[in-house]
Amino acid sequence: MSTLAALLPAVPPVIGWAVHARWLHSRLTTARRDPLTGLWTRDAFTRRARRLLRDPHAVVVLADVDHFKQINDRFGHAAGDVLLATVAARLAHGTTPGGVAGRLGGDEFAAVVVDRDGTMPDRLHTLARVLARPVDTAPDVHTTVSLGWVRAADHPGEDLSALLRRADEAMYAAKRSGRSGPRRARLGRLLGSVAGRRPGRRGAAEVAS
């Protein structure tokens, strides 16, 4: 009989359950992470984002990689994956401390940040410049990232899905303008549709609901 086998009967059951619980928690956490970028998956992001939206200073940000298909076509899908992972890491860093970032799917990301000091416009302009830098390991691989954002306090009573819709509209306005820089969501009612969407693209509200 091995030493380990001899010791196992002496391990109190409560310790065994504790080890199992930690293992299970680790597996669940891993399942909630996007395997490519390490960001929270859609469902995990949604749960955490809704908690942050209880804060009146919460800001919702939507990010979409520009010309991503061209990156894949020119450099290959492996380079595209590296670009997505790089954008995700920079987005996560740019929305800390206290924020949460997730990958909604494809080349689209979202974040919720608590902006207590009112510096979000400056922070997002800085983030846009950082996101446009070349990939560290592949200097030729780079593109801009369109950002749309909305303050939850500007639209009281709206849930995460509605706020993501507003950020989505703002993001596509930024993308259509051709200028690299974040766009704040307009006040007033939500538009019924957003012009200039990619064919077949799922809306942010649909993704997050």
Side-chain angles (χ1 to χ4, degrees):
M1 181 181 293
S2 69
T3 303
L4 178 59
L7 289 175
L8 281 177
V11 176
V14 66
I15 296 179
W17 280 111
V19 171
H20 177 74
R22 290 182 62 183
W23 173 84
L24 184 60
H25 180 268
S26 175
R27 289 290 300 272
L28 288 173
T29 299
T30 301
R32 293 167 184 160
R33 293 283 187 176
D34 174 59
L36 175 62
T37 66
L39 294 183
W40 295 111
T41 59
R42 179 189 65 195
D43 291 341
F45 165 77
T46 298
R47 286 192 293 272
R48 287 160 177 79
R50 283 172 175 163
R51 287 198 293 267
L52 286 180
L53 284 176
R54 298 170 187 167
D55 192 302
H57 300 96
V59 169
V60 177
V61 182
L62 205 65
D64 190 87
V65 179
D66 299 325
H67 315 298
F68 183 65
K69 184 179 183 301
Q70 296 176 24
I71 295 292
N72 278 335
D73 291 344
R74 180 179 178 188
F75 298 103
H77 289 278
D81 287 348
V82 172
L83 176 62
L84 290 178
T86 299
V87 168
R90 292 171 178 174
L91 177 66
H93 184 268
T95 53
T96 56
V100 60
R103 184 185 183 193
L104 298 186
D107 57 349
E108 188 172 72
F109 304 89
V112 175
V113 187
V114 176
D115 180 33
R116 299 191 187 282
D117 54 7
T119 60
M120 186 53 58
D122 291 337
R123 288 172 61 185
L124 288 178
H125 276 283
T126 299
L127 178 61
R129 292 194 296 270
V130 170
L131 293 176
R133 292 175 183 168
V135 173
D136 294 338
T137 57
D140 291 335
V141 180
H142 63 91
T143 186
T144 53
V145 176
S146 295
L147 298 173
W149 65 284
V150 57
R151 289 191 186 279
D154 289 344
H155 307 280
E158 292 195 359
D159 62 7
L160 177 62
S161 293
L163 293 171
L164 280 170
R165 270 281 305 280
R166 291 187 182 278
D168 186 59
E169 292 172 355
M171 182 194 69
Y172 266 82
K175 192 180 289 286
R176 290 194 302 271
S177 73
R179 294 180 291 178
S180 58
R183 179 71 66 92
R184 184 172 181 175
R186 60 190 289 276
L187 296 175
R189 67 180 181 84
L190 278 166
L191 300 180
S193 61
V194 182
R197 289 187 183 277
R198 293 192 297 268
R201 178 180 177 274
R202 296 178 69 195
E206 180 186 352
V207 169
S209 57

